[in-house]
Each structure stands twice: as structure tokens, then as C-alpha cells.
């Protein structure tokens, strides 16, 4: 079972990695992290997780299964947008994290997640070596905006995983 301390260490590592990666590395790493959390979430809620693995679901299928099992449906668009962005990087060499691409991802977020990304930026703006540009979230370079969006999605999904793990442990 994931513990809050382990989750915090994972988050810290992910943030450092994403800010140090090039664009394709950041997108792929963020996607892998989110996919792993989806697997964990589904494993907690599936009556028979061993059978889920036999379905051989791709990322979008995993998102769909998580939504079927009760993941907040309003997370679907942003999780799918992240999958589409990953696919764009994997299949089109000219893909870049430009302002239009990142804005599309940002617009797929729930209002609460947009607020979380903005608050995260404000908290770390003056205390991290990674964010050096801009006084507002929207003034950041697209790569930094992407990283904050990815971390926002990760923390949201991580919280969901911890919640279902706790509920499963209480029910066991």
C-alpha cells in the first residue's frame, strides 16, 4: 500500500525529473507516472485485478476502466488529453510543447485542478531553482506550464489512489 510519505517522496522526485527533462522526456515520464497511478487505482477497485491485466488495455482503455469503476468522470478529459499529447510526441517528430498545445491541455483540466496548478505555481515560484520566469502561471514557458499541469494531475490521481487504498484496508 502506498503511504503518504512514499507519495510525497515520489512527487518530489517526479517534480525534479520533469523540470530537468527535455520536452519529450517530460511528456513521456509524466504519462508513465499517471498510467502507473491508474493501474494502482484500478487494482484497488477491481474485484479480480488479475483478470484486468489479461485485458491488455492501452492507456485510454485504462482511463475508461477507471471511469467505469468510479473514478471521477470529470478527470477523464484531462487524463485523455495527456494520453493524446503523449501519442503526439511518440508518433510525430515535429510535436512541441508550445503555448497552443499546453493551453489545450490546461483547458481540459477541471476548474479545481486549474486553481491547484495556479496555487502550486505561487507556492514554488520563489522557493525553487526550477521556475525562474514569470510572475503569473500563464507567463511561464510552455514546458514549465506543462510540468505544473502534470504534477497537478499526478497529485489529484495520487490522492484518489490513497483514498481507495485506505477504504480497501478498512473493508478488509
Amino acid at each position: 500500500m502506498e503511504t503518504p510519505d512514499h507519495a510525497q517522496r515520489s512527487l518530489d522526485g517526479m517534480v525534479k525529473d520533469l523540470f530537468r527533462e527535455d520536452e519529450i522526456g517530460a511528456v513521456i515520464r509524466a504519462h508513465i507516472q499517471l498510467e502507473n497511478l491508474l493501474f494502482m487505482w484500478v487494482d484497488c477497485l477491481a474485484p479480480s485485478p488479475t483478470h484486468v491485466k489479461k485485458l491488455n488495455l492501452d492507456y485510454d482503455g485504462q482511463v475508461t476502466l477507471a471511469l467505469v469503476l468510479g473514478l471521477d468522470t470529470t478527470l477523464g478529459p484531462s487524463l485523455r488529453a495527456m494520453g493524446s499529447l503523449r501519442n503526439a510526441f511518440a508518433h510525430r517528430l515535429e510535436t512541441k510543447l508550445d503555448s497552443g498545445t499546453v493551453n489545450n491541455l490546461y483547458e481540459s483540466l477541471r476548474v479545481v485542478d486549474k486553481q491547484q496548478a495556479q496555487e502550486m505555481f505561487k507556492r514554488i515560484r520563489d522557493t525553487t531553482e526550477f521556475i525562474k520566469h514569470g510572475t503569473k502561471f500563464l507567463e511561464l514557458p510552455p514546458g514549465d506550464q506543462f510540468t505544473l499541469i502534470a504534477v497537478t494531475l499526478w497529485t489529484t490521481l495520487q490522492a484518489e489512489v490513497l483514498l481507495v487504498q485506505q477504504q480497501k484496508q478498512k473493508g478488509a
Side-chain angles (χ1 to χ4, degrees):
M1 182 165 123
E2 187 90 359
T3 65
D5 287 341
H6 182 264
Q8 184 61 49
R9 286 191 306 276
S10 296
L11 172 62
D12 292 345
M14 182 176 144
V15 169
K16 287 177 184 172
D17 287 344
L18 291 181
F19 274 112
R20 290 185 178 128
E21 289 277 1
D22 63 357
E23 290 181 356
I24 191 169
V27 170
I28 299 296
R29 187 177 299 275
H31 183 271
I32 290 168
Q33 292 282 346
L34 291 171
E35 187 171 36
N36 183 58
L37 288 173
L38 278 171
F39 289 147
M40 291 171 66
W41 197 90
V42 167
D43 278 354
C44 283
L45 288 175
S48 184
T50 57
H51 294 293
V52 172
K53 290 179 176 98
K54 293 177 182 177
L55 292 173
N56 246 357
L57 297 173
D58 63 5
Y59 177 81
D60 191 65
Q62 197 73 20
V63 170
T64 299
L65 181 57
L67 296 171
V68 166
L69 291 173
L71 184 65
D72 183 348
T73 58
T74 62
L75 285 170
S78 56
L79 292 172
R80 286 200 162 96
M82 184 64 79
S84 294
L85 182 57
R86 178 256 176 228
N87 287 342
F89 269 91
H91 300 291
R92 291 190 301 274
L93 293 175
E94 72 279 0
T95 303
K96 301 281 183 226
L97 280 178
D98 58 25
S99 57
T101 301
V102 175
N103 187 57
N104 288 341
L105 181 60
Y106 182 79
E107 289 304 317
S108 74
L109 295 174
R110 305 175 303 173
V111 170
V112 67
D113 295 326
K114 289 176 184 175
Q115 292 168 340
Q116 183 180 343
Q118 298 278 348
E119 288 301 314
M120 188 182 321
F121 166 70
K122 289 176 189 173
R123 282 194 312 270
I124 66 174
R125 169 180 53 208
D126 300 324
T127 60
T128 182
E129 65 187 89
F130 302 113
I131 298 208
K132 295 181 172 53
H133 313 350
T135 57
K136 296 179 183 174
F137 178 84
L138 295 175
E139 292 175 355
L140 290 172
D144 289 352
Q145 288 179 17
F146 168 81
T147 296
L148 290 170
I149 292 167
V151 170
T152 297
L153 285 172
W154 187 92
T155 57
T156 298
L157 205 49
Q158 179 66 53
E160 294 290 325
V161 168
L162 289 170
L163 181 63
V164 296
Q165 286 177 336
Q166 290 170 351
Q167 290 170 345
K168 186 175 182 175
Q169 191 175 25
K170 287 179 185 178

